[in-house]
Amino acid sequence: MLIAQVTDIHLGFEPDNPSEFNRKRLDQVLKHLMAMTPKPDLLLATGDLVDRGDGESYRRLRLAFEQVDFPVWPCLGNHDIRDNFAAWFPERGAVDGFFQYEFEHQGLRFLVLDTLEEGRHGGAFCDVRAGWLRARLAEKVDQPTAIVMHHPPVEVGIEWMNTHPGEPWVERFRNCIAGKAQIVAIICGHLHRPITCQWERTTIAICPSTAPQIALELAPIDPERPDDRPMIIADPPAYAIHRWNGRELVTHFDTADAHVVLAKFDAKMQPLVRSLLSERPV
């Protein structure tokens, strides 16, 4: 199974421009995904779906997703607004006021979380949401499960975007998943960069954005001393492909720009391919 992921779309950053830069980048990625062979089985859209939380941007996002010929499963990020999201994606439905839900595909269970606290940039995960997650994890302890959420619960070293490990929501989330061997990965967005790490005996895979990316700057930052460091960069629109083989989830990151091809599978490359494949067990 191939699971595509897009994140941090920020549609409506240019609210009066129907052909805005971020929409063009999103369309480029969606077109690229639909042209893949094999095609993804589903698409995760992991938050910051729109930039200002307005209804018109969600309407335009809905139209963009309707061109995709495989299921799209969204979750909310810090730029989203629940009421306006619900107006254009009513099929998701809120539970106790939060957009958390589950679905299954080809044996893999997905638990989609809501880490939005409106008015706050960082994540949130209250007792109500934690209770929902604990209950779902207790129901199917032997089924491989991927957790999908916008905010990574881990510090990555980019100080102005970091999740602080001491934030209460992180500890609450950690307590929910501790010792849950069925969790195969935590799939996130928010940081506009491709990042992977080990955390609580599972893998966190953080997808780069379709919107512009964040610069890799690991030096400490002083909020009182601007130092002209790069912050937002115009790298190509990006996505992730997670490959589930029934045992492991493997993540690939790529961009939707055309790549310079240095070799193709032609007669010159055929001996190498034959040799590599011949080494595998029958």
mmCIF file with all atom_site columns, all heavy atoms in Angstrom, residues 68-84:
data_model
loop_
_atom_site.group_PDB
_atom_site.id
_atom_site.type_symbol
_atom_site.label_atom_id
_atom_site.label_alt_id
_atom_site.label_comp_id
_atom_site.label_asym_id
_atom_site.label_entity_id
_atom_site.label_seq_id
_atom_site.pdbx_PDB_ins_code
_atom_site.Cartn_x
_atom_site.Cartn_y
_atom_site.Cartn_z
_atom_site.occupancy
_atom_site.B_iso_or_equiv
_atom_site.pdbx_formal_charge
_atom_site.auth_seq_id
_atom_site.auth_comp_id
_atom_site.auth_asym_id
_atom_site.auth_atom_id
_atom_site.pdbx_PDB_model_num
ATOM 1   N N   . VAL A 1 68 ? -8.603  14.710 -7.113  1.00 0.00 ? 68 VAL A N   1
ATOM 2   C CA  . VAL A 1 68 ? -7.807  13.530 -6.764  1.00 0.00 ? 68 VAL A CA  1
ATOM 3   C C   . VAL A 1 68 ? -8.696  12.295 -6.832  1.00 0.00 ? 68 VAL A C   1
ATOM 4   O O   . VAL A 1 68 ? -9.801  12.292 -6.285  1.00 0.00 ? 68 VAL A O   1
ATOM 5   C CB  . VAL A 1 68 ? -7.200  13.686 -5.353  1.00 0.00 ? 68 VAL A CB  1
ATOM 6   C CG1 . VAL A 1 68 ? -6.407  12.446 -4.964  1.00 0.00 ? 68 VAL A CG1 1
ATOM 7   C CG2 . VAL A 1 68 ? -6.317  14.921 -5.290  1.00 0.00 ? 68 VAL A CG2 1
ATOM 8   N N   . ASP A 1 69 ? -8.216  11.244 -7.485  1.00 0.00 ? 69 ASP A N   1
ATOM 9   C CA  . ASP A 1 69 ? -9.035  10.054 -7.667  1.00 0.00 ? 69 ASP A CA  1
ATOM 10  C C   . ASP A 1 69 ? -8.709  8.946  -6.673  1.00 0.00 ? 69 ASP A C   1
ATOM 11  O O   . ASP A 1 69 ? -8.891  7.766  -6.948  1.00 0.00 ? 69 ASP A O   1
ATOM 12  C CB  . ASP A 1 69 ? -8.945  9.537  -9.108  1.00 0.00 ? 69 ASP A CB  1
ATOM 13  C CG  . ASP A 1 69 ? -7.518  9.297  -9.555  1.00 0.00 ? 69 ASP A CG  1
ATOM 14  O OD1 . ASP A 1 69 ? -6.588  9.480  -8.749  1.00 0.00 ? 69 ASP A OD1 1
ATOM 15  O OD2 . ASP A 1 69 ? -7.329  8.905  -10.731 1.00 0.00 ? 69 ASP A OD2 1
ATOM 16  N N   . PHE A 1 70 ? -8.224  9.312  -5.480  1.00 0.00 ? 70 PHE A N   1
ATOM 17  C CA  . PHE A 1 70 ? -8.116  8.380  -4.362  1.00 0.00 ? 70 PHE A CA  1
ATOM 18  C C   . PHE A 1 70 ? -8.526  9.131  -3.102  1.00 0.00 ? 70 PHE A C   1
ATOM 19  O O   . PHE A 1 70 ? -8.556  10.368 -3.083  1.00 0.00 ? 70 PHE A O   1
ATOM 20  C CB  . PHE A 1 70 ? -6.703  7.788  -4.230  1.00 0.00 ? 70 PHE A CB  1
ATOM 21  C CG  . PHE A 1 70 ? -5.577  8.728  -4.571  1.00 0.00 ? 70 PHE A CG  1
ATOM 22  C CD1 . PHE A 1 70 ? -5.060  9.605  -3.641  1.00 0.00 ? 70 PHE A CD1 1
ATOM 23  C CD2 . PHE A 1 70 ? -5.019  8.717  -5.849  1.00 0.00 ? 70 PHE A CD2 1
ATOM 24  C CE1 . PHE A 1 70 ? -4.022  10.461 -3.951  1.00 0.00 ? 70 PHE A CE1 1
ATOM 25  C CE2 . PHE A 1 70 ? -3.975  9.571  -6.177  1.00 0.00 ? 70 PHE A CE2 1
ATOM 26  C CZ  . PHE A 1 70 ? -3.479  10.442 -5.220  1.00 0.00 ? 70 PHE A CZ  1
ATOM 27  N N   . PRO A 1 71 ? -8.885  8.426  -2.031  1.00 0.00 ? 71 PRO A N   1
ATOM 28  C CA  . PRO A 1 71 ? -9.435  9.097  -0.845  1.00 0.00 ? 71 PRO A CA  1
ATOM 29  C C   . PRO A 1 71 ? -8.451  10.061 -0.202  1.00 0.00 ? 71 PRO A C   1
ATOM 30  O O   . PRO A 1 71 ? -7.241  9.806  -0.139  1.00 0.00 ? 71 PRO A O   1
ATOM 31  C CB  . PRO A 1 71 ? -9.762  7.940  0.107   1.00 0.00 ? 71 PRO A CB  1
ATOM 32  C CG  . PRO A 1 71 ? -9.821  6.722  -0.765  1.00 0.00 ? 71 PRO A CG  1
ATOM 33  C CD  . PRO A 1 71 ? -8.884  6.960  -1.900  1.00 0.00 ? 71 PRO A CD  1
ATOM 34  N N   . VAL A 1 72 ? -8.977  11.178 0.298   1.00 0.00 ? 72 VAL A N   1
ATOM 35  C CA  . VAL A 1 72 ? -8.189  12.186 1.001   1.00 0.00 ? 72 VAL A CA  1
ATOM 36  C C   . VAL A 1 72 ? -8.666  12.245 2.445   1.00 0.00 ? 72 VAL A C   1
ATOM 37  O O   . VAL A 1 72 ? -9.867  12.401 2.718   1.00 0.00 ? 72 VAL A O   1
ATOM 38  C CB  . VAL A 1 72 ? -8.329  13.575 0.344   1.00 0.00 ? 72 VAL A CB  1
ATOM 39  C CG1 . VAL A 1 72 ? -7.489  14.601 1.103   1.00 0.00 ? 72 VAL A CG1 1
ATOM 40  C CG2 . VAL A 1 72 ? -7.911  13.521 -1.123  1.00 0.00 ? 72 VAL A CG2 1
ATOM 41  N N   . TRP A 1 73 ? -7.727  12.138 3.391   1.00 0.00 ? 73 TRP A N   1
ATOM 42  C CA  . TRP A 1 73 ? -8.049  12.135 4.807   1.00 0.00 ? 73 TRP A CA  1
ATOM 43  C C   . TRP A 1 73 ? -7.322  13.311 5.479   1.00 0.00 ? 73 TRP A C   1
ATOM 44  O O   . TRP A 1 73 ? -6.109  13.269 5.660   1.00 0.00 ? 73 TRP A O   1
ATOM 45  C CB  . TRP A 1 73 ? -7.621  10.813 5.438   1.00 0.00 ? 73 TRP A CB  1
ATOM 46  C CG  . TRP A 1 73 ? -8.247  9.613  4.812   1.00 0.00 ? 73 TRP A CG  1
ATOM 47  C CD1 . TRP A 1 73 ? -7.753  8.849  3.793   1.00 0.00 ? 73 TRP A CD1 1
ATOM 48  C CD2 . TRP A 1 73 ? -9.510  9.037  5.167   1.00 0.00 ? 73 TRP A CD2 1
ATOM 49  N NE1 . TRP A 1 73 ? -8.628  7.832  3.489   1.00 0.00 ? 73 TRP A NE1 1
ATOM 50  C CE2 . TRP A 1 73 ? -9.707  7.918  4.318   1.00 0.00 ? 73 TRP A CE2 1
ATOM 51  C CE3 . TRP A 1 73 ? -10.488 9.359  6.118   1.00 0.00 ? 73 TRP A CE3 1
ATOM 52  C CZ2 . TRP A 1 73 ? -10.846 7.117  4.393   1.00 0.00 ? 73 TRP A CZ2 1
ATOM 53  C CZ3 . TRP A 1 73 ? -11.616 8.559  6.196   1.00 0.00 ? 73 TRP A CZ3 1
ATOM 54  C CH2 . TRP A 1 73 ? -11.792 7.458  5.344   1.00 0.00 ? 73 TRP A CH2 1
ATOM 55  N N   . PRO A 1 74 ? -8.037  14.373 5.847   1.00 0.00 ? 74 PRO A N   1
ATOM 56  C CA  . PRO A 1 74 ? -7.384  15.565 6.404   1.00 0.00 ? 74 PRO A CA  1
ATOM 57  C C   . PRO A 1 74 ? -7.338  15.563 7.937   1.00 0.00 ? 74 PRO A C   1
ATOM 58  O O   . PRO A 1 74 ? -8.153  14.913 8.606   1.00 0.00 ? 74 PRO A O   1
ATOM 59  C CB  . PRO A 1 74 ? -8.284  16.693 5.909   1.00 0.00 ? 74 PRO A CB  1
ATOM 60  C CG  . PRO A 1 74 ? -9.653  16.067 5.886   1.00 0.00 ? 74 PRO A CG  1
ATOM 61  C CD  . PRO A 1 74 ? -9.452  14.617 5.526   1.00 0.00 ? 74 PRO A CD  1
ATOM 62  N N   . CYS A 1 75 ? -6.389  16.292 8.485   1.00 0.00 ? 75 CYS A N   1
ATOM 63  C CA  . CYS A 1 75 ? -6.411  16.642 9.907   1.00 0.00 ? 75 CYS A CA  1
ATOM 64  C C   . CYS A 1 75 ? -6.077  18.129 10.040  1.00 0.00 ? 75 CYS A C   1
ATOM 65  O O   . CYS A 1 75 ? -5.696  18.782 9.062   1.00 0.00 ? 75 CYS A O   1
ATOM 66  C CB  . CYS A 1 75 ? -5.467  15.776 10.723  1.00 0.00 ? 75 CYS A CB  1
ATOM 67  S SG  . CYS A 1 75 ? -3.706  16.090 10.516  1.00 0.00 ? 75 CYS A SG  1
ATOM 68  N N   . LEU A 1 76 ? -6.245  18.663 11.233  1.00 0.00 ? 76 LEU A N   1
ATOM 69  C CA  . LEU A 1 76 ? -6.162  20.100 11.447  1.00 0.00 ? 76 LEU A CA  1
ATOM 70  C C   . LEU A 1 76 ? -4.814  20.514 12.028  1.00 0.00 ? 76 LEU A C   1
ATOM 71  O O   . LEU A 1 76 ? -4.222  19.799 12.841  1.00 0.00 ? 76 LEU A O   1
ATOM 72  C CB  . LEU A 1 76 ? -7.279  20.560 12.383  1.00 0.00 ? 76 LEU A CB  1
ATOM 73  C CG  . LEU A 1 76 ? -8.713  20.308 11.901  1.00 0.00 ? 76 LEU A CG  1
ATOM 74  C CD1 . LEU A 1 76 ? -9.717  20.892 12.880  1.00 0.00 ? 76 LEU A CD1 1
ATOM 75  C CD2 . LEU A 1 76 ? -8.929  20.876 10.510  1.00 0.00 ? 76 LEU A CD2 1
ATOM 76  N N   . GLY A 1 77 ? -4.362  21.709 11.595  1.00 0.00 ? 77 GLY A N   1
ATOM 77  C CA  . GLY A 1 77 ? -3.155  22.308 12.141  1.00 0.00 ? 77 GLY A CA  1
ATOM 78  C C   . GLY A 1 77 ? -3.465  23.651 12.771  1.00 0.00 ? 77 GLY A C   1
ATOM 79  O O   . GLY A 1 77 ? -4.622  24.084 12.835  1.00 0.00 ? 77 GLY A O   1
ATOM 80  N N   . ASN A 1 78 ? -2.436  24.351 13.201  1.00 0.00 ? 78 ASN A N   1
ATOM 81  C CA  . ASN A 1 78 ? -2.633  25.576 13.983  1.00 0.00 ? 78 ASN A CA  1
ATOM 82  C C   . ASN A 1 78 ? -3.195  26.733 13.167  1.00 0.00 ? 78 ASN A C   1
ATOM 83  O O   . ASN A 1 78 ? -3.721  27.688 13.734  1.00 0.00 ? 78 ASN A O   1
ATOM 84  C CB  . ASN A 1 78 ? -1.316  26.004 14.636  1.00 0.00 ? 78 ASN A CB  1
ATOM 85  C CG  . ASN A 1 78 ? -0.142  25.998 13.677  1.00 0.00 ? 78 ASN A CG  1
ATOM 86  O OD1 . ASN A 1 78 ? 0.374   24.935 13.343  1.00 0.00 ? 78 ASN A OD1 1
ATOM 87  N ND2 . ASN A 1 78 ? 0.275   27.175 13.226  1.00 0.00 ? 78 ASN A ND2 1
ATOM 88  N N   . HIS A 1 79 ? -3.134  26.680 11.841  1.00 0.00 ? 79 HIS A N   1
ATOM 89  C CA  . HIS A 1 79 ? -3.725  27.731 11.008  1.00 0.00 ? 79 HIS A CA  1
ATOM 90  C C   . HIS A 1 79 ? -5.191  27.463 10.679  1.00 0.00 ? 79 HIS A C   1
ATOM 91  O O   . HIS A 1 79 ? -5.838  28.313 10.062  1.00 0.00 ? 79 HIS A O   1
ATOM 92  C CB  . HIS A 1 79 ? -2.926  27.894 9.710   1.00 0.00 ? 79 HIS A CB  1
ATOM 93  C CG  . HIS A 1 79 ? -1.671  28.692 9.863   1.00 0.00 ? 79 HIS A CG  1
ATOM 94  N ND1 . HIS A 1 79 ? -1.553  30.009 9.455   1.00 0.00 ? 79 HIS A ND1 1
ATOM 95  C CD2 . HIS A 1 79 ? -0.478  28.364 10.402  1.00 0.00 ? 79 HIS A CD2 1
ATOM 96  C CE1 . HIS A 1 79 ? -0.340  30.450 9.717   1.00 0.00 ? 79 HIS A CE1 1
ATOM 97  N NE2 . HIS A 1 79 ? 0.341   29.463 10.289  1.00 0.00 ? 79 HIS A NE2 1
ATOM 98  N N   . ASP A 1 80 ? -5.689  26.304 11.072  1.00 0.00 ? 80 ASP A N   1
ATOM 99  C CA  . ASP A 1 80 ? -7.060  25.935 10.724  1.00 0.00 ? 80 ASP A CA  1
ATOM 100 C C   . ASP A 1 80 ? -8.058  26.440 11.762  1.00 0.00 ? 80 ASP A C   1
ATOM 101 O O   . ASP A 1 80 ? -7.695  26.745 12.907  1.00 0.00 ? 80 ASP A O   1
ATOM 102 C CB  . ASP A 1 80 ? -7.158  24.416 10.575  1.00 0.00 ? 80 ASP A CB  1
ATOM 103 C CG  . ASP A 1 80 ? -6.367  23.904 9.378   1.00 0.00 ? 80 ASP A CG  1
ATOM 104 O OD1 . ASP A 1 80 ? -6.666  24.354 8.256   1.00 0.00 ? 80 ASP A OD1 1
ATOM 105 O OD2 . ASP A 1 80 ? -5.439  23.095 9.571   1.00 0.00 ? 80 ASP A OD2 1
ATOM 106 N N   . ILE A 1 81 ? -9.316  26.535 11.344  1.00 0.00 ? 81 ILE A N   1
ATOM 107 C CA  . ILE A 1 81 ? -10.434 26.923 12.215  1.00 0.00 ? 81 ILE A CA  1
ATOM 108 C C   . ILE A 1 81 ? -11.492 25.831 12.101  1.00 0.00 ? 81 ILE A C   1
ATOM 109 O O   . ILE A 1 81 ? -11.968 25.530 11.002  1.00 0.00 ? 81 ILE A O   1
ATOM 110 C CB  . ILE A 1 81 ? -11.029 28.290 11.813  1.00 0.00 ? 81 ILE A CB  1
ATOM 111 C CG1 . ILE A 1 81 ? -9.978  29.389 11.944  1.00 0.00 ? 81 ILE A CG1 1
ATOM 112 C CG2 . ILE A 1 81 ? -12.264 28.619 12.649  1.00 0.00 ? 81 ILE A CG2 1
ATOM 113 C CD1 . ILE A 1 81 ? -9.529  29.686 13.355  1.00 0.00 ? 81 ILE A CD1 1
ATOM 114 N N   . ARG A 1 82 ? -11.863 25.243 13.225  1.00 0.00 ? 82 ARG A N   1
ATOM 115 C CA  . ARG A 1 82 ? -12.734 24.061 13.204  1.00 0.00 ? 82 ARG A CA  1
ATOM 116 C C   . ARG A 1 82 ? -14.073 24.338 12.531  1.00 0.00 ? 82 ARG A C   1
ATOM 117 O O   . ARG A 1 82 ? -14.545 23.538 11.713  1.00 0.00 ? 82 ARG A O   1
ATOM 118 C CB  . ARG A 1 82 ? -12.941 23.541 14.618  1.00 0.00 ? 82 ARG A CB  1
ATOM 119 C CG  . ARG A 1 82 ? -11.701 22.917 15.233  1.00 0.00 ? 82 ARG A CG  1
ATOM 120 C CD  . ARG A 1 82 ? -11.998 22.212 16.546  1.00 0.00 ? 82 ARG A CD  1
ATOM 121 N NE  . ARG A 1 82 ? -10.769 21.687 17.129  1.00 0.00 ? 82 ARG A NE  1
ATOM 122 C CZ  . ARG A 1 82 ? -10.002 22.350 17.991  1.00 0.00 ? 82 ARG A CZ  1
ATOM 123 N NH1 . ARG A 1 82 ? -10.371 23.571 18.379  1.00 0.00 ? 82 ARG A NH1 1
ATOM 124 N NH2 . ARG A 1 82 ? -8.904  21.817 18.456  1.00 0.00 ? 82 ARG A NH2 1
ATOM 125 N N   . ASP A 1 83 ? -14.745 25.414 12.899  1.00 0.00 ? 83 ASP A N   1
ATOM 126 C CA  . ASP A 1 83 ? -16.087 25.658 12.367  1.00 0.00 ? 83 ASP A CA  1
ATOM 127 C C   . ASP A 1 83 ? -16.070 25.803 10.854  1.00 0.00 ? 83 ASP A C   1
ATOM 128 O O   . ASP A 1 83 ? -16.933 25.265 10.160  1.00 0.00 ? 83 ASP A O   1
ATOM 129 C CB  . ASP A 1 83 ? -16.697 26.903 13.010  1.00 0.00 ? 83 ASP A CB  1
ATOM 130 C CG  . ASP A 1 83 ? -17.110 26.674 14.455  1.00 0.00 ? 83 ASP A CG  1
ATOM 131 O OD1 . ASP A 1 83 ? -17.150 25.497 14.879  1.00 0.00 ? 83 ASP A OD1 1
ATOM 132 O OD2 . ASP A 1 83 ? -17.398 27.659 15.157  1.00 0.00 ? 83 ASP A OD2 1
ATOM 133 N N   . ASN A 1 84 ? -15.100 26.529 10.334  1.00 0.00 ? 84 ASN A N   1
ATOM 134 C CA  . ASN A 1 84 ? -15.033 26.725 8.886   1.00 0.00 ? 84 ASN A CA  1
ATOM 135 C C   . ASN A 1 84 ? -14.607 25.449 8.167   1.00 0.00 ? 84 ASN A C   1
ATOM 136 O O   . ASN A 1 84 ? -15.093 25.160 7.063   1.00 0.00 ? 84 ASN A O   1
ATOM 137 C CB  . ASN A 1 84 ? -14.078 27.872 8.558   1.00 0.00 ? 84 ASN A CB  1
ATOM 138 C CG  . ASN A 1 84 ? -14.626 29.214 9.015   1.00 0.00 ? 84 ASN A CG  1
ATOM 139 O OD1 . ASN A 1 84 ? -15.838 29.381 9.138   1.00 0.00 ? 84 ASN A OD1 1
ATOM 140 N ND2 . ASN A 1 84 ? -13.745 30.164 9.268   1.00 0.00 ? 84 ASN A ND2 1
#
